[in-house]
Amino acid sequence: MIDRRYVITSAIGILLSAALAAPALAQEKLPVVASFSILGDLVANVGGDRVAVTTLVGPNGDGHTFQPSPADAKHIAAAKVVFMNGFGFEGWMPRLIKASGAKAPIVESTKGLTSQTMEEDGRKITDPHAWQSVANAKVMVQNIRDGLDAIDPDGKATYDANATAYLEKLDALEQDVKAAIAGIPPERRRIITSHDAFGYFGRAYGMEFIAPQGVSTETEASAKDVARIIRQIKAEKIPAVFMENISDTRLVQRIADETGAKIGGTVFSDALSKPDEGAGTYIDMIRHNIKAFAGALSS
Ligand code: ZN
């Protein structure tokens, strides 16, 4: 015989659990988009458990030449807020946002920063790689925090606390960067990379970076540029050349072969590594890079 009372109790039980589950649904994570992996990590650190971050250009991806897919437009359409770098880094972004029909606010994380320019073929070009200065990354974190506070006021206390804790880590990181560079003899603080991604790092911490390819990877290095750099390395005895995680390594390999400059390893310029490759977070990326620079240049 079926125990009627038991059945009723169970039904109430199910209703109750459904009711209890409702607040959990209300606390579903806020969908947000970050244009590239480095920015995605900064957003994840500020957003913590409250946000679900989708990154468009993934680990080891090249944000200059990225070609968005329909899935990227869908992510943007579903996002409550979209974070991008700005300074012209994501040339593909305005069209993607328009195509997605997004209504969400777009936060340029470099807002308020002063951009640096580089001279290329007689033209002044804005250098987008602001994140390579840790001081700039701190401003980017503040802009991310303000963006999340504005879209999700209930989470303000959480975002503010997360940002404060992360900013303290960035303070410690910046001290380590300065200490690492201070350990390199000044005349050896010169490096070749394949594209000009380290201008902000160089100016902030006192190192010179020379690149055959310019601030964007969209155009190939010309034979003239490569020849000029090879002459410069030989004349100025530039000690080391570095591969970048987002670029073809053959150009740097060739320059090393022709000049005898040491290959200092791979550095992370415009993208994080995959989680198990040693530079899966912004902090690990900067630490990896300074270790590589110091290792190749200290003696
Ligand atoms: Zn770049």
Side-chain angles (χ1 to χ4, degrees), residues 64 89 129 195 197 215-217 246 270:
H64 297 286
F89 181 53
H129 307 91
H195 92 293
V215 293
S216 174
T217 56
I246 64 155
D270 296 15

Side-chain angles (χ1 to χ4, degrees), residues 8 38 48 72 106 123 146 151-152 154-155 180 184 232 245 263 268 292:
I8 290 167
I38 294 169
D72 296 318
I106 314 292
R123 289 184 304 147
D146 296 348
I151 202 70
D152 179 22
D154 290 350
I184 302 171
Q232 191 178 0
N245 66 319
I263 293 181
F268 294 84

